[in-house]
Amino acid sequence: MSDEDRTPPVNQWKTLDKDLKRISRIEVGAQTVSRGLVAPGVALAFIVLAGLAAALLMGGQSGQILVVAAAAIGAYMALNIGANDVANNMGPAVGSKAMTLGMALILAAVFESLGALVAGGDVVNTVAKGIIEPSALPDSTHFVWAMMAALLAAALWLNLATWFGAPVSTTHSIVGGVVGAGIVAAGFGAVDWGTMGMIAASWVISPVMGGVIAALFLAIIKSKVVYVDDKIAAARKWVPILIGIMAGAFAAYLALKGLKHLFKISLLEAVLIGLATGIACWLLTIPMIRRQSEGMENRKKSLKSLFSLPLIVSAALLSFAHGANDVANAVGPLAAIVHTVEQGDIASQVGIPFWVMAVGALGISVGLLLFGPKLIRLVGNEITKLNPMRAYCVALSAAITVIVASWLGLPVSSTHIAVGGIFGVGFYREWHSEKRARDLGINKGKPVPIEERKRRLLVRRSHMLTVAAAWIITVPVSAGLSALIYILLNWLIA
C-alpha cells in the first residue's frame, strides 16, 4: 500500500480537529464549574469537621447528637458572619486601593481570629440582648430547640443576603431568630418589646450617625488640607491631629468592644484611655508625617499616601474588635446549647468552652476567605468611589459612633455604621461637587444644566435601596425562618 493510500482524507482531519476542539471546550467548562464548587466544598468540609470535633469532645455523653448538630449549625453561622459582616471593615481600605484584596483577606482573617480568641470573652448571654427570658420557655429541651432554630435561621438569612450582595447586621439576624423561636415557644408576652423598639430605632440611628460623622471629617479634610494653597504644610499640621483622633477613638473603641471581655471597664475609663492614646500618637506622628511629606508635590494626589498606612491600621483594629464582639453571635447560642445539654438546666449566662470559641473564630476567617470578596468589592467600590482620605473618614466614624452611642445608651450596629459612613462621604461629595459647580456657574454667569448635575450623582441609588430594604426586613425574615424551623423541630421529635 502506498503512502498516499495510508494518509487519511482531508475531511477526516477536519472532523478530528472539530472533535478535539469540542473535547477542549468540555474540559474548560468542567474546570470552570469545578472552580465554582471549591468554596462551597471547603465550607461543607469545615462544617463537617466542626461536627466531628464536637462528637469527639462530647465522648458519647447524653445529648451528643444535639451538640454535634448545634456545632455544625454554629460553624455555618460563623462562615456567614465572615462572608457578610467582615466586608464592612475591609471594604473601604480595598476600595481606596490602600491595600489589595488578597492583603485585606489575610489581614482580616488574622485579626478577626485574634480578636475572637484573645478578647472574645469567657462568658456570654445565652439569649441575645435579653430579648427573651430563658425561664419563660417550657423546659430545657425547648430552649435547645429555640437556640438551634435561631442560629440556623440567622445563618440562612445571612447566606441569602450575601448572595444578593447586601451587607446586613449579624446581631439583628440572631436577635430576629431568637424572637421568632421565642414567640412560638413562649408567646408574644415573653418578648421584651422595649428592647426590640430600641433595636428597630438603631436601623436609623446607626447609619445616620455614621454618615454624619464621616461626612464631617471629610469636610474638615477638604477645607483644611485639600483646598488650601500650601497642601503639604496643611497636611503636616492636620494629618497628625487626625491620626491622634483615630488612635484615641480606636483605643476607646477596643476598650469598650474588646477589652471589656478581659476585665471590667467603664465608659469613662475607656474615654480616658482613648484620650491618653490619642495625645501620645499625635505627638509621635508629627515628625513621622514631616519626614514622609518631604519632597512631595503640592497636589491632592500626594496627600492620599499620607492616609494609607493609618487606614490599614484602622482596618486591622476594626477586625480585631469585630472578632471580639460579633463572634458571640455564632458561639453564644452554641455555648448555651452545650451547657444546657451537659448540665440539664438553663442559665442566663454560660462559659464558652475553648473548642466552641475556636469554631467561631476559624469559621469567621474561613467564611471571609471563601466568600468575602463579593461584599468587600461592593462596599469598597460600588456604592461610591473611595480614596484613602474618604475611607479613613469611614473607619474613623465607625469608632467614634460606637463611643457616642455607648455614652447615649443607644444600641447600634457596626455594619450599619460602616455602610452609613460610606453613604455619608458619598452624599457629601455630591453636595460639595454641586456647590463648586454652582459657584463656578455663578462666577461665569452660566447656570449648570440639569443633565450635567445628574451626571454628578456620586452615590448609586440602587445600592442604597437594596441595602435599606435588607436592613428593614432582617429581623422579620430571620424571625419568620426561626419560627418555622422551631415548629419543624418540634414536629420531628413529637
PDB file of all heavy atoms in Angstrom, residues 297-329:
ATOM      1  N   GLU A 297       4.992  66.692  45.952  1.00  0.00           N
ATOM      2  CA  GLU A 297       4.437  67.771  45.150  1.00  0.00           C
ATOM      3  C   GLU A 297       3.214  68.357  45.853  1.00  0.00           C
ATOM      4  O   GLU A 297       2.487  67.660  46.548  1.00  0.00           O
ATOM      5  CB  GLU A 297       4.026  67.250  43.776  1.00  0.00           C
ATOM      6  CG  GLU A 297       5.195  66.768  42.932  1.00  0.00           C
ATOM      7  CD  GLU A 297       4.723  66.328  41.555  1.00  0.00           C
ATOM      8  OE1 GLU A 297       3.911  67.058  40.937  1.00  0.00           O
ATOM      9  OE2 GLU A 297       5.148  65.255  41.109  1.00  0.00           O
ATOM     10  N   ASN A 298       2.997  69.640  45.642  1.00  0.00           N
ATOM     11  CA  ASN A 298       1.883  70.341  46.279  1.00  0.00           C
ATOM     12  C   ASN A 298       0.599  70.082  45.477  1.00  0.00           C
ATOM     13  O   ASN A 298       0.063  70.961  44.803  1.00  0.00           O
ATOM     14  CB  ASN A 298       2.185  71.840  46.349  1.00  0.00           C
ATOM     15  CG  ASN A 298       1.136  72.585  47.156  1.00  0.00           C
ATOM     16  OD1 ASN A 298       0.613  72.052  48.140  1.00  0.00           O
ATOM     17  ND2 ASN A 298       0.809  73.794  46.731  1.00  0.00           N
ATOM     18  N   ARG A 299       0.100  68.836  45.570  1.00  0.00           N
ATOM     19  CA  ARG A 299      -1.093  68.449  44.835  1.00  0.00           C
ATOM     20  C   ARG A 299      -1.894  67.440  45.655  1.00  0.00           C
ATOM     21  O   ARG A 299      -1.369  66.794  46.567  1.00  0.00           O
ATOM     22  CB  ARG A 299      -0.732  67.848  43.471  1.00  0.00           C
ATOM     23  CG  ARG A 299       0.352  66.811  43.532  1.00  0.00           C
ATOM     24  CD  ARG A 299       0.859  66.398  42.172  1.00  0.00           C
ATOM     25  NE  ARG A 299      -0.168  65.717  41.413  1.00  0.00           N
ATOM     26  CZ  ARG A 299       0.104  64.959  40.348  1.00  0.00           C
ATOM     27  NH1 ARG A 299       1.350  64.830  39.929  1.00  0.00           N
ATOM     28  NH2 ARG A 299      -0.864  64.345  39.710  1.00  0.00           N
ATOM     29  N   LYS A 300      -3.157  67.316  45.290  1.00  0.00           N
ATOM     30  CA  LYS A 300      -4.081  66.456  46.041  1.00  0.00           C
ATOM     31  C   LYS A 300      -3.630  64.999  46.028  1.00  0.00           C
ATOM     32  O   LYS A 300      -3.749  64.286  47.034  1.00  0.00           O
ATOM     33  CB  LYS A 300      -5.488  66.582  45.449  1.00  0.00           C
ATOM     34  CG  LYS A 300      -6.543  65.755  46.157  1.00  0.00           C
ATOM     35  CD  LYS A 300      -7.902  65.940  45.492  1.00  0.00           C
ATOM     36  CE  LYS A 300      -8.950  65.060  46.125  1.00  0.00           C
ATOM     37  NZ  LYS A 300     -10.280  65.220  45.466  1.00  0.00           N
ATOM     38  N   LYS A 301      -3.124  64.531  44.909  1.00  0.00           N
ATOM     39  CA  LYS A 301      -2.719  63.135  44.789  1.00  0.00           C
ATOM     40  C   LYS A 301      -1.631  62.772  45.804  1.00  0.00           C
ATOM     41  O   LYS A 301      -1.582  61.650  46.306  1.00  0.00           O
ATOM     42  CB  LYS A 301      -2.217  62.875  43.367  1.00  0.00           C
ATOM     43  CG  LYS A 301      -1.931  61.420  43.077  1.00  0.00           C
ATOM     44  CD  LYS A 301      -1.544  61.226  41.609  1.00  0.00           C
ATOM     45  CE  LYS A 301      -1.281  59.745  41.322  1.00  0.00           C
ATOM     46  NZ  LYS A 301      -0.908  59.529  39.901  1.00  0.00           N
ATOM     47  N   SER A 302      -0.762  63.718  46.125  1.00  0.00           N
ATOM     48  CA  SER A 302       0.317  63.447  47.083  1.00  0.00           C
ATOM     49  C   SER A 302      -0.216  63.190  48.484  1.00  0.00           C
ATOM     50  O   SER A 302       0.386  62.449  49.256  1.00  0.00           O
ATOM     51  CB  SER A 302       1.286  64.627  47.107  1.00  0.00           C
ATOM     52  OG  SER A 302       1.833  64.880  45.836  1.00  0.00           O
ATOM     53  N   LEU A 303      -1.348  63.807  48.805  1.00  0.00           N
ATOM     54  CA  LEU A 303      -1.879  63.697  50.163  1.00  0.00           C
ATOM     55  C   LEU A 303      -2.406  62.303  50.467  1.00  0.00           C
ATOM     56  O   LEU A 303      -2.403  61.871  51.626  1.00  0.00           O
ATOM     57  CB  LEU A 303      -3.012  64.716  50.360  1.00  0.00           C
ATOM     58  CG  LEU A 303      -2.650  66.189  50.133  1.00  0.00           C
ATOM     59  CD1 LEU A 303      -3.904  67.036  50.236  1.00  0.00           C
ATOM     60  CD2 LEU A 303      -1.606  66.644  51.137  1.00  0.00           C
ATOM     61  N   LYS A 304      -2.858  61.592  49.418  1.00  0.00           N
ATOM     62  CA  LYS A 304      -3.505  60.298  49.647  1.00  0.00           C
ATOM     63  C   LYS A 304      -2.570  59.298  50.314  1.00  0.00           C
ATOM     64  O   LYS A 304      -2.999  58.485  51.135  1.00  0.00           O
ATOM     65  CB  LYS A 304      -4.017  59.737  48.316  1.00  0.00           C
ATOM     66  CG  LYS A 304      -5.104  60.597  47.684  1.00  0.00           C
ATOM     67  CD  LYS A 304      -5.519  60.054  46.323  1.00  0.00           C
ATOM     68  CE  LYS A 304      -6.565  60.964  45.669  1.00  0.00           C
ATOM     69  NZ  LYS A 304      -6.951  60.483  44.326  1.00  0.00           N
ATOM     70  N   SER A 305      -1.280  59.353  49.965  1.00  0.00           N
ATOM     71  CA  SER A 305      -0.341  58.385  50.535  1.00  0.00           C
ATOM     72  C   SER A 305      -0.161  58.571  52.035  1.00  0.00           C
ATOM     73  O   SER A 305       0.198  57.632  52.746  1.00  0.00           O
ATOM     74  CB  SER A 305       1.017  58.499  49.831  1.00  0.00           C
ATOM     75  OG  SER A 305       1.571  59.803  50.028  1.00  0.00           O
ATOM     76  N   LEU A 306      -0.416  59.779  52.540  1.00  0.00           N
ATOM     77  CA  LEU A 306      -0.260  60.027  53.974  1.00  0.00           C
ATOM     78  C   LEU A 306      -1.338  59.328  54.796  1.00  0.00           C
ATOM     79  O   LEU A 306      -1.171  59.123  55.994  1.00  0.00           O
ATOM     80  CB  LEU A 306      -0.301  61.530  54.256  1.00  0.00           C
ATOM     81  CG  LEU A 306       0.785  62.377  53.597  1.00  0.00           C
ATOM     82  CD1 LEU A 306       0.562  63.854  53.905  1.00  0.00           C
ATOM     83  CD2 LEU A 306       2.167  61.945  54.059  1.00  0.00           C
ATOM     84  N   PHE A 307      -2.450  58.968  54.159  1.00  0.00           N
ATOM     85  CA  PHE A 307      -3.559  58.335  54.869  1.00  0.00           C
ATOM     86  C   PHE A 307      -3.588  56.812  54.695  1.00  0.00           C
ATOM     87  O   PHE A 307      -4.377  56.145  55.361  1.00  0.00           O
ATOM     88  CB  PHE A 307      -4.893  58.916  54.378  1.00  0.00           C
ATOM     89  CG  PHE A 307      -5.150  60.317  54.828  1.00  0.00           C
ATOM     90  CD1 PHE A 307      -4.707  61.395  54.070  1.00  0.00           C
ATOM     91  CD2 PHE A 307      -5.832  60.577  56.002  1.00  0.00           C
ATOM     92  CE1 PHE A 307      -4.951  62.697  54.473  1.00  0.00           C
ATOM     93  CE2 PHE A 307      -6.070  61.874  56.416  1.00  0.00           C
ATOM     94  CZ  PHE A 307      -5.634  62.935  55.659  1.00  0.00           C
ATOM     95  N   SER A 308      -2.751  56.268  53.818  1.00  0.00           N
ATOM     96  CA  SER A 308      -2.841  54.835  53.508  1.00  0.00           C
ATOM     97  C   SER A 308      -2.487  53.952  54.706  1.00  0.00           C
ATOM     98  O   SER A 308      -3.239  53.031  55.050  1.00  0.00           O
ATOM     99  CB  SER A 308      -1.929  54.503  52.319  1.00  0.00           C
ATOM    100  OG  SER A 308      -2.385  55.157  51.150  1.00  0.00           O
ATOM    101  N   LEU A 309      -1.344  54.213  55.335  1.00  0.00           N
ATOM    102  CA  LEU A 309      -0.939  53.376  56.469  1.00  0.00           C
ATOM    103  C   LEU A 309      -1.902  53.489  57.644  1.00  0.00           C
ATOM    104  O   LEU A 309      -2.312  52.451  58.205  1.00  0.00           O
ATOM    105  CB  LEU A 309       0.489  53.734  56.900  1.00  0.00           C
ATOM    106  CG  LEU A 309       1.053  52.899  58.071  1.00  0.00           C
ATOM    107  CD1 LEU A 309       1.066  51.426  57.704  1.00  0.00           C
ATOM    108  CD2 LEU A 309       2.460  53.374  58.436  1.00  0.00           C
ATOM    109  N   PRO A 310      -2.311  54.703  58.055  1.00  0.00           N
ATOM    110  CA  PRO A 310      -3.315  54.774  59.128  1.00  0.00           C
ATOM    111  C   PRO A 310      -4.607  54.040  58.783  1.00  0.00           C
ATOM    112  O   PRO A 310      -5.240  53.447  59.655  1.00  0.00           O
ATOM    113  CB  PRO A 310      -3.565  56.283  59.275  1.00  0.00           C
ATOM    114  CG  PRO A 310      -2.325  56.927  58.784  1.00  0.00           C
ATOM    115  CD  PRO A 310      -1.836  56.048  57.675  1.00  0.00           C
ATOM    116  N   LEU A 311      -4.983  54.044  57.502  1.00  0.00           N
ATOM    117  CA  LEU A 311      -6.202  53.354  57.094  1.00  0.00           C
ATOM    118  C   LEU A 311      -6.049  51.845  57.243  1.00  0.00           C
ATOM    119  O   LEU A 311      -6.971  51.154  57.705  1.00  0.00           O
ATOM    120  CB  LEU A 311      -6.526  53.711  55.648  1.00  0.00           C
ATOM    121  CG  LEU A 311      -7.765  53.042  55.029  1.00  0.00           C
ATOM    122  CD1 LEU A 311      -9.003  53.364  55.847  1.00  0.00           C
ATOM    123  CD2 LEU A 311      -7.931  53.497  53.593  1.00  0.00           C
ATOM    124  N   ILE A 312      -4.893  51.308  56.873  1.00  0.00           N
ATOM    125  CA  ILE A 312      -4.641  49.868  57.023  1.00  0.00           C
ATOM    126  C   ILE A 312      -4.676  49.470  58.491  1.00  0.00           C
ATOM    127  O   ILE A 312      -5.266  48.451  58.872  1.00  0.00           O
ATOM    128  CB  ILE A 312      -3.283  49.501  56.386  1.00  0.00           C
ATOM    129  CG1 ILE A 312      -3.351  49.679  54.869  1.00  0.00           C
ATOM    130  CG2 ILE A 312      -2.895  48.064  56.724  1.00  0.00           C
ATOM    131  CD1 ILE A 312      -2.018  49.548  54.169  1.00  0.00           C
ATOM    132  N   VAL A 313      -4.041  50.285  59.344  1.00  0.00           N
ATOM    133  CA  VAL A 313      -4.042  50.003  60.786  1.00  0.00           C
ATOM    134  C   VAL A 313      -5.473  50.043  61.331  1.00  0.00           C
ATOM    135  O   VAL A 313      -5.871  49.180  62.128  1.00  0.00           O
ATOM    136  CB  VAL A 313      -3.145  51.011  61.539  1.00  0.00           C
ATOM    137  CG1 VAL A 313      -3.279  50.830  63.046  1.00  0.00           C
ATOM    138  CG2 VAL A 313      -1.693  50.842  61.108  1.00  0.00           C
ATOM    139  N   SER A 314      -6.256  51.019  60.899  1.00  0.00           N
ATOM    140  CA  SER A 314      -7.627  51.124  61.396  1.00  0.00           C
ATOM    141  C   SER A 314      -8.458  49.925  60.961  1.00  0.00           C
ATOM    142  O   SER A 314      -9.294  49.429  61.729  1.00  0.00           O
ATOM    143  CB  SER A 314      -8.269  52.423  60.892  1.00  0.00           C
ATOM    144  OG  SER A 314      -8.485  52.376  59.497  1.00  0.00           O
ATOM    145  N   ALA A 315      -8.244  49.428  59.737  1.00  0.00           N
ATOM    146  CA  ALA A 315      -8.983  48.249  59.274  1.00  0.00           C
ATOM    147  C   ALA A 315      -8.632  47.025  60.112  1.00  0.00           C
ATOM    148  O   ALA A 315      -9.505  46.214  60.457  1.00  0.00           O
ATOM    149  CB  ALA A 315      -8.673  47.996  57.803  1.00  0.00           C
ATOM    150  N   ALA A 316      -7.346  46.879  60.458  1.00  0.00           N
ATOM    151  CA  ALA A 316      -6.933  45.754  61.294  1.00  0.00           C
ATOM    152  C   ALA A 316      -7.560  45.846  62.685  1.00  0.00           C
ATOM    153  O   ALA A 316      -8.030  44.845  63.240  1.00  0.00           O
ATOM    154  CB  ALA A 316      -5.410  45.723  61.400  1.00  0.00           C
ATOM    155  N   LEU A 317      -7.582  47.044  63.253  1.00  0.00           N
ATOM    156  CA  LEU A 317      -8.161  47.224  64.586  1.00  0.00           C
ATOM    157  C   LEU A 317      -9.667  46.985  64.574  1.00  0.00           C
ATOM    158  O   LEU A 317     -10.224  46.399  65.516  1.00  0.00           O
ATOM    159  CB  LEU A 317      -7.852  48.631  65.103  1.00  0.00           C
ATOM    160  CG  LEU A 317      -6.378  48.925  65.397  1.00  0.00           C
ATOM    161  CD1 LEU A 317      -6.198  50.383  65.799  1.00  0.00           C
ATOM    162  CD2 LEU A 317      -5.842  48.010  66.482  1.00  0.00           C
ATOM    163  N   LEU A 318     -10.338  47.424  63.514  1.00  0.00           N
ATOM    164  CA  LEU A 318     -11.776  47.158  63.393  1.00  0.00           C
ATOM    165  C   LEU A 318     -12.040  45.661  63.320  1.00  0.00           C
ATOM    166  O   LEU A 318     -13.011  45.163  63.919  1.00  0.00           O
ATOM    167  CB  LEU A 318     -12.327  47.841  62.135  1.00  0.00           C
ATOM    168  CG  LEU A 318     -12.775  49.299  62.262  1.00  0.00           C
ATOM    169  CD1 LEU A 318     -13.174  49.832  60.889  1.00  0.00           C
ATOM    170  CD2 LEU A 318     -13.932  49.444  63.233  1.00  0.00           C
ATOM    171  N   SER A 319     -11.189  44.936  62.603  1.00  0.00           N
ATOM    172  CA  SER A 319     -11.362  43.487  62.504  1.00  0.00           C
ATOM    173  C   SER A 319     -11.146  42.824  63.866  1.00  0.00           C
ATOM    174  O   SER A 319     -11.875  41.889  64.232  1.00  0.00           O
ATOM    175  CB  SER A 319     -10.385  42.907  61.476  1.00  0.00           C
ATOM    176  OG  SER A 319     -10.725  43.334  60.175  1.00  0.00           O
ATOM    177  N   PHE A 320     -10.160  43.284  64.618  1.00  0.00           N
ATOM    178  CA  PHE A 320      -9.911  42.725  65.953  1.00  0.00           C
ATOM    179  C   PHE A 320     -11.129  42.933  66.854  1.00  0.00           C
ATOM    180  O   PHE A 320     -11.602  42.007  67.523  1.00  0.00           O
ATOM    181  CB  PHE A 320      -8.674  43.387  66.568  1.00  0.00           C
ATOM    182  CG  PHE A 320      -8.316  42.850  67.933  1.00  0.00           C
ATOM    183  CD1 PHE A 320      -7.465  41.767  68.066  1.00  0.00           C
ATOM    184  CD2 PHE A 320      -8.836  43.432  69.079  1.00  0.00           C
ATOM    185  CE1 PHE A 320      -7.138  41.269  69.321  1.00  0.00           C
ATOM    186  CE2 PHE A 320      -8.512  42.946  70.340  1.00  0.00           C
ATOM    187  CZ  PHE A 320      -7.661  41.863  70.458  1.00  0.00           C
ATOM    188  N   ALA A 321     -11.641  44.158  66.866  1.00  0.00           N
ATOM    189  CA  ALA A 321     -12.802  44.459  67.707  1.00  0.00           C
ATOM    190  C   ALA A 321     -14.031  43.697  67.244  1.00  0.00           C
ATOM    191  O   ALA A 321     -14.833  43.230  68.059  1.00  0.00           O
ATOM    192  CB  ALA A 321     -13.071  45.960  67.696  1.00  0.00           C
ATOM    193  N   HIS A 322     -14.178  43.554  65.926  1.00  0.00           N
ATOM    194  CA  HIS A 322     -15.319  42.808  65.396  1.00  0.00           C
ATOM    195  C   HIS A 322     -15.243  41.343  65.812  1.00  0.00           C
ATOM    196  O   HIS A 322     -16.247  40.743  66.213  1.00  0.00           O
ATOM    197  CB  HIS A 322     -15.358  42.923  63.877  1.00  0.00           C
ATOM    198  CG  HIS A 322     -16.499  42.185  63.241  1.00  0.00           C
ATOM    199  ND1 HIS A 322     -16.393  40.865  62.845  1.00  0.00           N
ATOM    200  CD2 HIS A 322     -17.768  42.554  62.946  1.00  0.00           C
ATOM    201  CE1 HIS A 322     -17.544  40.465  62.335  1.00  0.00           C
ATOM    202  NE2 HIS A 322     -18.382  41.480  62.379  1.00  0.00           N
ATOM    203  N   GLY A 323     -14.052  40.749  65.697  1.00  0.00           N
ATOM    204  CA  GLY A 323     -13.896  39.359  66.107  1.00  0.00           C
ATOM    205  C   GLY A 323     -14.186  39.167  67.584  1.00  0.00           C
ATOM    206  O   GLY A 323     -14.803  38.170  67.989  1.00  0.00           O
ATOM    207  N   ALA A 324     -13.766  40.135  68.410  1.00  0.00           N
ATOM    208  CA  ALA A 324     -14.005  40.040  69.848  1.00  0.00           C
ATOM    209  C   ALA A 324     -15.475  40.166  70.188  1.00  0.00           C
ATOM    210  O   ALA A 324     -15.982  39.507  71.108  1.00  0.00           O
ATOM    211  CB  ALA A 324     -13.209  41.126  70.576  1.00  0.00           C
ATOM    212  N   ASN A 325     -16.185  40.990  69.438  1.00  0.00           N
ATOM    213  CA  ASN A 325     -17.578  41.293  69.789  1.00  0.00           C
ATOM    214  C   ASN A 325     -18.575  40.377  69.085  1.00  0.00           C
ATOM    215  O   ASN A 325     -19.438  39.783  69.717  1.00  0.00           O
ATOM    216  CB  ASN A 325     -17.880  42.752  69.430  1.00  0.00           C
ATOM    217  CG  ASN A 325     -19.206  43.231  69.977  1.00  0.00           C
ATOM    218  OD1 ASN A 325     -19.400  43.262  71.184  1.00  0.00           O
ATOM    219  ND2 ASN A 325     -20.114  43.593  69.098  1.00  0.00           N
ATOM    220  N   ASP A 326     -18.455  40.237  67.763  1.00  0.00           N
ATOM    221  CA  ASP A 326     -19.501  39.561  66.999  1.00  0.00           C
ATOM    222  C   ASP A 326     -19.349  38.048  66.947  1.00  0.00           C
ATOM    223  O   ASP A 326     -20.250  37.364  66.457  1.00  0.00           O
ATOM    224  CB  ASP A 326     -19.537  40.120  65.574  1.00  0.00           C
ATOM    225  CG  ASP A 326     -20.328  41.420  65.510  1.00  0.00           C
ATOM    226  OD1 ASP A 326     -20.359  42.114  66.540  1.00  0.00           O
ATOM    227  OD2 ASP A 326     -20.897  41.730  64.466  1.00  0.00           O
ATOM    228  N   VAL A 327     -18.217  37.509  67.436  1.00  0.00           N
ATOM    229  CA  VAL A 327     -18.109  36.053  67.483  1.00  0.00           C
ATOM    230  C   VAL A 327     -19.176  35.468  68.395  1.00  0.00           C
ATOM    231  O   VAL A 327     -19.613  34.324  68.229  1.00  0.00           O
ATOM    232  CB  VAL A 327     -16.698  35.624  67.951  1.00  0.00           C
ATOM    233  CG1 VAL A 327     -16.493  35.941  69.433  1.00  0.00           C
ATOM    234  CG2 VAL A 327     -16.459  34.141  67.706  1.00  0.00           C
ATOM    235  N   ALA A 328     -19.649  36.273  69.360  1.00  0.00           N
ATOM    236  CA  ALA A 328     -20.705  35.806  70.264  1.00  0.00           C
ATOM    237  C   ALA A 328     -21.989  35.486  69.517  1.00  0.00           C
ATOM    238  O   ALA A 328     -22.797  34.671  69.976  1.00  0.00           O
ATOM    239  CB  ALA A 328     -20.970  36.851  71.344  1.00  0.00           C
ATOM    240  N   ASN A 329     -22.200  36.119  68.350  1.00  0.00           N
ATOM    241  CA  ASN A 329     -23.400  35.821  67.575  1.00  0.00           C
ATOM    242  C   ASN A 329     -23.412  34.379  67.080  1.00  0.00           C
ATOM    243  O   ASN A 329     -24.475  33.792  66.869  1.00  0.00           O
ATOM    244  CB  ASN A 329     -23.517  36.765  66.384  1.00  0.00           C
ATOM    245  CG  ASN A 329     -23.795  38.194  66.807  1.00  0.00           C
ATOM    246  OD1 ASN A 329     -24.494  38.429  67.769  1.00  0.00           O
ATOM    247  ND2 ASN A 329     -23.215  39.149  66.095  1.00  0.00           N
TER     248      ASN A 329
END
